[in-house]
């Protein structure tokens, strides 16, 4: 699958970016989840699933309102990068088994500087793969992905929104939240609240990742 390709508005042209000449076949990858058909994020979830950037929890369910784990989110970023992860071996984290389904994505994320992990008293570095990713941490990883992996800069398209809970955003995430909001990549959970320390849902992650893909990849 071509991750960065999309049908133009005229519905007559399919545009993609590639680094080599080849023959491509256009086909429709029909992906439907039983629990997203009436969900606000259905189109964005389908957009990513058809490109195999994101997967359901089962073949027929996506669980859009469930929280996203750190392992799931890093795997999605790795899928979006469309890079060969076979060279990413071993693990930089004490809590990641090299045979885990997300191990190569975690190793890739460490190599590219997307994640650094947390250090315990014994000097061991932990990834905490099963912890849910917060909305502010999601913003930080999306910002790092764009600069470190895609090597692109955000473009300001919206006026800054000062959320009433902006004082709850961690200092390490403040610039990422502001820049992504002004770039139109992320929004508040409500009109005036960002809820930075709330767990990001799978639907929210899909919405923000698809927006980034369609505007910057």
């Amino acid at each position: 699958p071509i991750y960065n390709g999309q049908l133009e508005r005229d519905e007559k042209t399919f545009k993609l970016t590639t680094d080599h000449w080849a023959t491509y076949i256009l086909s429709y990858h029909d992906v439907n989840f039983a629990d997203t058909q009436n969900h606000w994020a259905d189109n964005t979830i389908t957009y990513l699933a058809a490109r195999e950037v994101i997967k359901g929890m089962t073949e027929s369910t996506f669980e859009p309102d469930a929280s996203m784990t750190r392992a799931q989110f890093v795997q999605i970023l790795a899928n979006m990068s469309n890079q060969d992860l076979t060279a990413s071996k071993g693990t930089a984290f004490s809590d990641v088994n090299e045979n885990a389904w997300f191990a190569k994505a975690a190793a890739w994320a460490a190599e590219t500087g997307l994640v650094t992990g947390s250090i315990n008293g014994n000097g061991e570095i932990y990834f905490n793969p099963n912890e849910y990713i917060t909305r502010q941490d999601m913003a930080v990883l999306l910002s790092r992905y764009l600069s470190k992996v895609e090597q692109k800069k955000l473009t300001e398209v919206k006026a800054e929104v000062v959320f009433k809970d902006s004082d709850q955003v961690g200092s390490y995430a403040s610039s990422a939240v502001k820049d992504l909001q002004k770039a139109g990549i992320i929004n508040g959970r409500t009109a005036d609240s960002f809820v930075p320390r709330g767990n990001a849902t799978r639907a929210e992650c899909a919405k923000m990742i698809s927006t980034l893909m369609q505007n910057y990849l």
Side-chain angles (χ1 to χ4, degrees):
I2 301 297
Y3 299 102
N4 60 8
Q6 59 185 339
L7 190 67
E8 296 293 271
R9 292 182 183 273
D10 61 8
E11 297 188 350
K12 297 179 181 179
T13 307
F14 190 90
K15 182 184 289 185
L16 60 91
T17 302
T18 180
D19 59 3
H20 64 279
W21 291 104
T23 299
Y24 296 93
I25 298 175
L26 294 182
S27 63
Y28 184 71
H29 186 186
D30 190 12
V31 178
N32 289 294
F33 297 110
D35 57 352
T36 66
Q37 294 179 12
N38 296 314
H39 196 278
W40 61 265
D42 181 50
N43 287 340
T44 56
I45 291 169
T46 300
Y47 175 88
L48 294 175
R51 288 161 174 76
E52 300 182 7
V53 173
I54 201 168
K55 293 184 178 180
M57 295 300 288
T58 68
E59 289 188 5
S60 61
T61 60
F62 185 76
E63 298 184 18
D65 297 320
S67 298
M68 175 78 74
T69 67
R70 289 168 54 82
Q72 291 170 343
F73 192 74
V74 164
Q75 183 65 61
I76 291 170
L77 294 183
N79 294 344
M80 182 168 62
S81 74
N82 200 21
Q83 294 184 15
D84 183 1
L85 300 185
T86 55
S88 298
K89 298 180 180 179
T91 175
F93 305 107
S94 300
D95 57 348
V96 176
N97 186 294
E98 62 179 10
N99 296 318
W101 62 267
F102 58 88
K104 290 187 179 299
W108 166 82
E111 292 164 4
T112 54
L114 292 183
V115 296
T116 56
S118 56
I119 303 177
N120 68 6
N122 296 323
E124 298 174 318
I125 304 176
Y126 283 80
F127 177 55
N128 302 311
N130 296 319
E131 283 189 4
Y132 296 130
I133 190 166
T134 63
R135 286 170 52 80
Q136 63 180 359
D137 284 355
M138 176 178 61
V140 169
L141 290 190
L142 286 177
S143 178
R144 288 177 182 171
Y145 177 87
L146 198 62
S147 62
K148 293 179 179 294
V149 178
E150 300 295 337
Q151 298 182 347
K152 294 180 180 179
K153 294 182 179 180
L154 292 167
T155 301
E156 185 174 336
V157 298
K158 290 185 176 181
E160 181 179 351
V161 174
V162 179
F163 298 108
K164 66 180 182 181
D165 56 358
S166 59
D167 60 331
Q168 297 177 26
V169 178
S171 57
Y172 70 94
S174 180
S175 60
V177 171
K178 288 181 180 179
D179 292 345
L180 288 170
Q181 182 271 311
K182 290 189 291 185
I185 303 298
I186 63 174
N187 297 304
R189 181 162 280 176
T190 66
D192 58 359
S193 298
F194 184 69
V195 194
R197 302 185 185 190
N199 294 334
T201 68
R202 289 171 55 79
E204 289 173 338
C205 292
K207 174 63 176 178
M208 296 174 192
I209 288 172
S210 65
T211 301
L212 186 145
M213 284 182 64
Q214 292 172 32
N215 287 276
Y216 289 95
L217 306 190

